[in-house]
Amino acid sequence: LSVHEWAHAWTARRLGDDTAERLGRLTLNPLAHVDPIGTLLLPLLGVPFGWAKPVPVQPHRFHTRISMRTGMMLTAAAGPIANLCLAAISIVVLAMLARFRPEVVEPGRPAGLLLQTLIFLNVVLAAFNALPIPPLDGSRVADALVPEAARPAWEGFCRLGPFALVAVLVLPMLAGVSLFRWPLEATQFLLQQVVTLLGGNPI
């Protein structure tokens, strides 16, 4: 979550908006991104999802050479991309350990479990935040890409965003369906291929 929020702040700063930096949010320090409910309370209650404190962005402060919609799209996309980068780095580290220190990542060993958790958790965070439902990052990307003719319908959907988000979270659980089955299965396949290729031994 800290890397995700830092990526938002860093991208906004590169585009000209230093709001997050001035508020101390351009940092990887987890304490700067803690949300009392999403980061602390819900995990303590055993709720299987949460969130960090959103990074403030003021699009009117972006450089004039970039439109506010495009700037918001880039800033929003930076979070999920950062999570995918973390997952990719973890895959490479796991593969290298499998090659040079296979005993460290044997089934059930803490290092292997930690790296696999990092991989799948970051993929889930990226996939979830990429959904085009307000207030998720994907909605900012979609907002910049929606054609003008479809904008009234899109804005109407945005007003229902919180209800749509609850439905997306709750309905699959009630139906016994995994919302992230495809990205997790694809990640598992990719992980096995990379570890076998670089590490020489499947995990």
Side-chain angles (χ1 to χ4, degrees):
L1 291 176
S2 296
V3 172
H4 182 102
E5 298 303 329
W6 169 86
H8 287 317
W10 181 85
T11 304
R13 184 65 186 88
R14 296 288 295 178
L15 295 176
D17 177 22
D18 64 348
T19 303
E21 181 181 29
R22 288 186 288 105
L23 294 175
R25 302 295 305 281
L26 186 57
T27 177
L28 292 172
N29 182 356
L31 296 179
H33 306 294
V34 167
D35 181 271
I37 296 177
T39 315
L40 300 178
L41 180 60
L42 293 185
L44 288 174
L45 294 176
V47 178
F49 63 87
W51 57 84
K53 184 166 54 176
V55 164
V57 178
Q58 298 187 46
H60 65 274
R61 297 177 64 89
F62 291 151
H63 297 307
T64 54
R65 64 177 179 271
I66 187 171
S67 70
M68 288 192 288
R69 283 184 187 172
T70 300
M72 287 300 297
M73 177 181 70
L74 296 173
T75 302
I81 290 173
N83 288 125
L84 292 178
C85 289
L86 277 178
I89 291 170
S90 300
I91 288 175
V92 173
V93 172
L94 185 58
M96 292 296 96
L97 288 174
R99 182 175 183 85
F100 298 108
R101 294 290 303 277
E103 72 279 5
V104 175
V105 291
E106 290 177 349
R109 296 298 296 272
L113 292 174
L114 173 62
L115 287 167
Q116 290 185 61
T117 299
L118 282 172
I119 293 165
F120 291 110
L121 184 58
N122 275 288
V123 168
V124 168
L125 283 171
F128 178 69
N129 279 283
L131 294 174
I133 303 174
L136 301 179
D137 296 328
S139 68
R140 299 289 189 182
V141 176
D143 184 73
L145 300 177
V146 168
E148 287 301 321
R151 185 152 296 276
W154 167 249
E155 291 175 350
F157 172 73
C158 288
R159 287 192 287 270
L160 300 174
F163 302 102
L165 183 58
V166 171
V168 166
L169 290 172
V170 173
L171 293 181
M173 289 191 293
L174 294 178
V177 177
S178 173
L179 181 62
F180 303 107
R181 178 180 176 182
W182 181 84
L184 289 176
E185 287 181 348
T187 302
Q188 180 66 44
F189 175 78
L190 177 63
L191 175 61
Q192 293 291 349
Q193 296 301 311
V194 173
V195 170
T196 301
L197 177 64
L198 299 181
N201 298 306
I203 58 172

